[in-house]
């Protein structure tokens, strides 16, 4: 079943690799834009990464077309420029200046396509660091996220490519803002998004905490929580997170677990006082929760309005009943023929998810269709294929 396609009619040309740049195109493609991904001859090397990188390509390159171009050849560059002349949006995330040197930078391309919105995904926005090489992990370390994630003295990156993906999301926000402005002006513009500044935006709450309190924020594992009960609790088998984040929920929590003595203590009816009394409250709560199994505890909490969560693993999501009850996962056929399910874009429009089944494209799968759309006839296409200019 095909979901909403609000961006149908927009044509996107994508010069990207790894995660950040492809994430931009993945979001646009999921919303119905035509995304033509330009890969090097033989295919993007991201396709064959191993270990933790083996999921990058299928996750962030669904719903796209694939062509391979030899950008070191004049004919390959000519095709790339023709694609840009006819595009609404171009996305790239290569090293600063790499596409400029090929004549594929914004200044050159905007001369022949003034409506072009050119999204450049980089490690840093303009400034002293802009020519440094950055990765998701570099940005997390530099920007304070790793410091806040790990225990004191043990910086720890987040458990996914969160900054790559979020940097891509900010790129999409910039693109859509530029599309809206183009409706009024008729002109495109350069849009930039970056890993470092995205990270700093994420830790802005901790910067604001320092500004408000005068005290630097402690890493999350050592923080003084804003709430008295906001913890992972060990049951008889598997741990469960529970959060009691309002005074009304404190009353409900006490009633649910028959904590009459704690509710009778009027000195801790208010959250900030409970935070101050954590050392005497928490041992009783931990002992109580340890008497339940995970499933027993979930059954007790379900429907109460109390925030709770079993500790899920990525592989558990394939069989998650909530995701499988609608279009939370969409069927994807990998290039090796494996049929799997991967997360749908996490939004709904008019109650519908932008979900559709898809087969991952082989490298260059759409080259003939794409060249024909640019005016190349069959003979010219065969010649380009025979000279390894395209693939």
């Amino acid at each position: 079943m095909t979901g909403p396609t609000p961006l149908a009619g927009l044509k996107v040309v994508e010069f990207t690799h790894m995660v950040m740049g492809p994430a931009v195109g993945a979001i646009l493609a999921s919303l119905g834009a035509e995304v033509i991904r330009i890969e090097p001859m033989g295919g993007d090397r991201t396709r064959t990464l191993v270990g933790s990188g083996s999921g990058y390509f299928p996750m962030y390159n669904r719903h796209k077309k694939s062509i391979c171009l030899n950008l070191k050849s004049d004919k390959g560059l000519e095709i790339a420029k023709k694609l840009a002349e006819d595009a609404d949006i171009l996305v790239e995330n290569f090293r600063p200046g790499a596409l400029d040197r090929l004549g594929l930078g914004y200044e050159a391309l905007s001369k022949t396509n003034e409506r072009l919105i050119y999204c450049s995904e980089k490690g840093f926005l303009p400034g002293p660091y802009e020519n440094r090489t950055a990765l998701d992990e570099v940005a997390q370390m530099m920007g304070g996220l790793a410091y806040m994630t790990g225990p004191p003295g043990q910086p720890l990156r987040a458990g996914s490519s969160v900054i790559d993906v979020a940097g891509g999301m900010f790129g999409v926000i910039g693109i859509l803002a530029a599309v809206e402005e183009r409706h009024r002006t008729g002109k495109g513009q350069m849009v930039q998004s970056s890993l470092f500044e995205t990270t700093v935006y994420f830790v802005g709450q901790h910067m604001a905490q320092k500004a408000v309190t005068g005290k630097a924020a402690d890493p999350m594992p050592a923080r003084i929580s804003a709430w008295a009960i906001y913890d992972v609790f060990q049951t008889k088998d598997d741990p469960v997170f529970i959060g009691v984040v309002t005074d009304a929920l404190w009353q409900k929590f006490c009633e649910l677990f028959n904590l009459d003595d704690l509710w009778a203590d009027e000195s801790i009816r208010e959250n900030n006082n409970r935070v101050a009394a954590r050392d005497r409250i928490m041992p009783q709560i931990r002992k109580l929760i340890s008497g339940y199994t995970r499933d027993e505890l979930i059954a007790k909490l379900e429907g109460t309005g109390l925030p709770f969560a079993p500790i899920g693993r990525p592989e558990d999501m394939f069989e998650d009943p909530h995701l499988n009850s609608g279009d939370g996962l969409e069927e994807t056929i990998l290039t090796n023929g494996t049929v799997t399910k991967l997360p749908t874009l996490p939004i709904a429009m008019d109650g519908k998810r932008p979900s559709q089944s898809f087969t991952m494209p082989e490298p260059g799968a759409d080259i003939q269709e794409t060249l024909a759309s640019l005016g190349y006839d069959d003979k010219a296409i065969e010649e380009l294929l025979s000279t390894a200019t395209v693939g």
Side-chain angles (χ1 to χ4, degrees):
M1 182 181 70
T2 300
T5 55
L7 300 187
L10 289 179
K11 182 176 179 179
V12 182
V13 177
E14 185 185 300
F15 295 85
T16 67
H17 64 143
M18 299 297 277
V19 176
M20 189 189 191
V24 177
I27 296 169
L28 297 174
S30 290
L31 292 170
E34 178 189 13
V35 179
I36 301 172
R37 192 168 197 281
I38 297 176
E39 302 187 48
M41 298 300 293
D44 181 1
R45 304 300 179 264
T46 307
R47 288 177 176 268
T48 56
L49 288 175
V50 298
S52 62
S54 59
Y56 290 174
F57 195 87
M59 180 60 201
Y60 301 111
N61 290 285
R62 290 170 285 163
H63 315 306
K64 301 177 184 178
K65 295 180 178 179
S66 170
I67 69 171
C68 296
L69 294 181
N70 177 3
L71 295 179
K72 294 181 180 179
S73 72
D74 290 341
K75 287 290 187 181
L77 272 178
E78 176 186 288
I79 293 167
K81 290 175 182 177
K82 283 188 175 183
L83 283 167
E85 287 175 8
D86 190 40
D88 292 286
I89 299 157
L90 185 148
V91 182
E92 68 90 16
N93 73 317
F94 285 91
R95 287 179 61 88
L99 290 190
D100 295 85
R101 289 189 289 272
L102 294 172
L104 295 171
Y106 175 69
E107 292 301 324
L109 296 180
S110 62
K111 290 177 181 177
T112 55
N113 182 1
E114 68 172 8
R115 290 177 54 80
L116 181 66
I117 295 166
Y118 191 108
C119 178
S120 184
E121 300 276 299
K122 292 291 186 278
F124 305 89
L125 292 179
Y129 303 155
E130 65 184 296
N131 290 315
R132 290 189 186 182
T133 299
L135 303 166
D136 186 294
E137 199 143 339
V138 168
Q140 291 196 36
M141 296 292 170
M142 282 187 68
L145 183 58
Y147 171 83
M148 291 302 301
T149 302
Q154 300 177 49
L156 182 68
R157 67 157 287 161
S160 74
S161 302
V162 59
I163 300 302
D164 272 326
V165 176
M169 292 166 63
F170 280 120
V172 172
I173 292 170
I175 287 169
L176 296 181
V179 169
E180 175 60 27
E181 188 168 41
R182 190 175 67 182
H183 291 324
R184 299 190 296 274
T185 66
K187 294 185 177 181
Q189 61 184 280
M190 166 79 85
V191 171
Q192 295 172 288
S193 175
S194 73
L195 296 171
F196 178 61
E197 282 82 358
T198 292
T199 307
V200 174
Y201 193 86
F202 275 18
V203 302
Q205 68 191 79
H206 304 304
M207 296 169 64
Q209 179 183 336
K210 172 65 163 63
V212 170
T213 67
K215 182 179 181 299
D218 292 319
M220 295 296 275
R223 75 194 186 284
I224 297 175
S225 176
W227 300 283
I229 298 175
Y230 198 78
D231 298 82
V232 174
F233 294 88
Q234 183 60 51
T235 69
K236 287 181 179 179
D237 42 28
D238 296 316
V240 174
F241 169 84
I242 302 174
V244 179
V245 295
T246 68
D247 296 335
L249 286 175
W250 170 244
Q251 180 178 2
K252 184 173 292 188
F253 183 80
C254 289
E255 291 172 351
L256 183 67
F257 289 101
N258 299 315
L259 295 170
D260 298 336
D261 58 331
L262 288 178
W263 179 247
D265 186 348
E266 296 187 5
S267 71
I268 55 173
R269 295 259 177 108
E270 198 276 328
N271 176 72
N272 289 353
N273 293 333
R274 288 194 299 277
V275 172
R278 264 178 63 89
D279 288 347
R280 69 179 176 88
I281 294 173
M282 287 303 290
Q284 182 176 348
I285 303 301
R286 291 197 181 280
K287 182 179 179 181
L288 169 75
I289 299 302
S290 69
Y292 292 86
T293 65
R294 186 193 74 159
D295 290 347
E296 289 170 344
L297 184 61
I298 289 173
K300 193 170 184 67
L301 291 166
E302 189 73 69
T304 64
L306 284 158
F308 71 93
I311 310 305
R313 299 168 297 182
E315 59 267 30
D316 298 335
M317 300 304 109
F318 286 113
E319 304 304 326
D320 183 86
H322 179 82
L323 295 174
N324 282 286
S325 68
D327 293 314
L329 300 173
E330 59 186 21
E331 183 178 280
T332 301
I333 303 176
L334 305 182
T335 50
N336 64 4
T338 298
V339 180
T340 188
K341 295 178 292 185
L342 292 174
T344 303
L345 197 67
I347 62 173
M349 300 185 69
D350 199 21
K352 298 177 182 178
R353 299 290 295 274
S355 176
Q356 55 187 306
S357 299
F358 201 79
T359 301
M360 294 299 301
E362 294 285 351
D366 303 286
I367 187 64
Q368 291 185 313
E369 175 193 343
T370 301
L371 291 179
S373 73
L374 294 176
Y376 291 87
D377 60 25
D378 290 345
K379 181 179 179 181
I381 293 172
E382 286 302 319
E383 181 180 345
L384 290 168
L385 287 168
S386 67
T387 57
T389 300
V390 302

